[in-house]
Amino acid sequence: MSLPWDAALFDALVQAWKRGDVVDAPPPADLEPLRPGDVLPLPARGTAEHARLTAAGEALLREGRVAALVVAGGAGTRFGGAVKALVPVLGDRTFLDLKLLDAERASERAGRPVPVALMTSFLTADGIAEHLAAHPPGVPVLPFLQAHLPRLTPDGAIAREPSGAPSLAPSGHGDVFRALRASGVGERLRRLGVEHLYFSNVDNLAATLDPAVLAMHAEGGAAMTVEVTPRRAPDGKLDVGAAPVRVGGQLMLVEKVDPAAHATISTNNIAFRLAPLLAGPIPVPFRAVRKTVDGATVIQFEQVTAEASSLRRADGSPVLPVRFVEVPRGDPATTRFEPVKTPDDLPPVAGRIRALLGL
C-alpha cells in the first residue's frame, strides 16, 4: 500500500511542469554585486570581538532561546541505501549521534537542555525512531516529518517501483517551513521560550551550535543568517552551489551561478528567527530535479531552503530578510563546513571531525 501524499499539490505541480513553469532552477536573473557589509566575517578566535560574541551566545543558550534544527530525511543512496543519519562516522557513532553530542555539550555549558527539532522523511523516520529508542539522547528530540511526492518519468507519467507502487521521494529540505508549522513542533518550541533555530544538514558535523555564530545572528536582526564559506575546497576544486548576491537590490542566495565569479558558497547552515516562520506560510517554490534511480531517469519535485531568501511580499520587501556570515573552511580546528556526500568523503572528514569535537 502506497503512502498518502498531497494529491492536489502533486497534480498542480505536474501541470505546471508540463507548461514549463516548474523548472530545475530559478530563471536567470540580473545579478548585482554585493555591497560592503553584505557578508561579514566571523571574528577570529582569540580576538576581543569573538570573546564578546561567544559570551553573548552562551547567554542565549542559558536563557533557553536557542534550539537546533537538524535535517535528516536522506536515505543515503550512495551509502548502500542506509538511513544516512545512522551511518557510522567515528566507531559506532553515527552522524545523528554526533549531532546530538554537540547539542548535549551545548546543554552542559548552558546548564539547561538545548532541544533538537529533527526533520525526518518516510525513508528515515522509522529507523531513526528505533535508533533513538535504543540509544536515548541526553537532550529533548522533537521529530517531525517532511512531505513526499511521487516521482515522474521523463514523459510525465508517475514513476513506479518494481512492485507497481508509485516511486516516492521526500520533497526537499525546503519543506521545513511548512512541516514545522503543520507538525506543531514550531509552536512547541515557541512555548518553551525558543526564539532562534540553528538549521543544518545531518551530514555536516562541523555545523555546531557555536555561540559566536548564534550571537551574530541574534544581534544582526535578520530573519535568517546564512553561513557562507570559501568556494574553493581544501583539494583546490571550486564547489558548485548557492552564492550570496543581490537581485533587484534584494540580498539573497542564488543557486545557479558561475563558480569562478563568486568566491563564497552557502554551507546550508542557517540561523532563523522562529517567529517569522510561524507567522504564516513561507512559499518556497518547487523545482523539478532530474535524478537517476535504479538506473532510470526520473523527475522529482523538491524545495530548497535557501530560496526562502528570494521571496518578496506584495510591497517588494523580503519575506525573510537575510544576512551572511563568512566562516572558516579547511582548518580542522575552526571549519564550519564538512559535508559528507559520498563514502570517499568520510575518512578524511572523520579525522578532522575527531579533532574538532575532541574525540
Side-chain angles (χ1 to χ4, degrees), residues 17 22-25 150-153 169-172 255-256 285-293 297-304 307:
W17 175 72
V22 176
V23 293
D24 66 343
R151 297 180 171 108
L152 298 179
T153 62
S171 54
E255 190 72 26
K256 300 292 185 180
F286 277 87
R287 299 298 171 197
V289 182
R290 189 171 291 260
K291 302 263 185 167
T292 300
V293 177
T297 299
V298 296
I299 308 297
Q300 58 191 54
F301 296 115
E302 297 182 359
Q303 294 169 292
V304 179
E307 287 200 52

Side-chain angles (χ1 to χ4, degrees), residues 26 173-177 199 224 226 241-244 250-255 266-270 272 282 284-285 303-311 320 322 324:
H173 48 68
D175 186 50
V176 66
F177 306 109
F199 170 104
M224 58 187 292
V226 181
Q250 181 173 328
L251 190 60
M252 66 178 70
L253 280 169
V254 170
E255 190 72 26
S266 169
T267 63
N268 211 36
N269 309 338
I270 308 173
F272 288 102
I282 310 295
V284 178
Q303 294 169 292
V304 179
T305 308
E307 287 200 52
S309 65
S310 66
L311 301 176
L320 294 179
V322 64
F324 296 100

Side-chain angles (χ1 to χ4, degrees), residues 98-220:
L98 293 172
K99 278 292 189 183
L100 295 177
L101 174 62
D102 176 54
E104 290 166 8
R105 288 183 169 180
S107 300
E108 291 169 2
R109 296 195 310 270
R112 65 185 300 159
V114 176
V116 178
L118 184 63
M119 189 167 78
T120 64
S121 72
F122 77 97
L123 297 170
T124 68
D126 290 346
I128 286 175
E130 291 173 6
H131 184 81
L132 292 175
H135 306 85
V139 291
V141 176
L142 287 67
F144 64 104
L145 198 64
Q146 70 182 110
H148 57 270
L149 293 167
R151 297 180 171 108
L152 298 179
T153 62
D155 62 1
I158 292 179
R160 301 281 173 178
E161 301 286 355
S163 66
S167 176
L168 303 176
S171 54
H173 48 68
D175 186 50
V176 66
F177 306 109
R178 181 207 62 81
L180 263 178
R181 295 175 69 239
S183 66
V185 166
E187 178 60 22
R188 286 174 65 188
L189 292 170
R190 186 192 67 78
R191 290 182 179 179
L192 289 172
V194 171
E195 297 176 6
H196 307 283
L197 298 178
Y198 184 73
F199 170 104
S200 65
N201 292 1
V202 75
D203 65 8
N204 183 6
L205 296 174
T208 58
L209 289 163
D210 186 291
V213 171
L214 296 173
M216 284 192 77
H217 161 69
E219 293 179 2

Side-chain angles (χ1 to χ4, degrees), residues 2-3 10 13 95 112 176 183 220-221 238 247 260 274 281 293-294 343 348 350:
S2 180
L3 295 168
F10 176 67
L13 288 171
F95 284 110
R112 65 185 300 159
V176 66
S183 66
L238 288 176
V247 176
L274 179 57
V293 177
D294 296 329

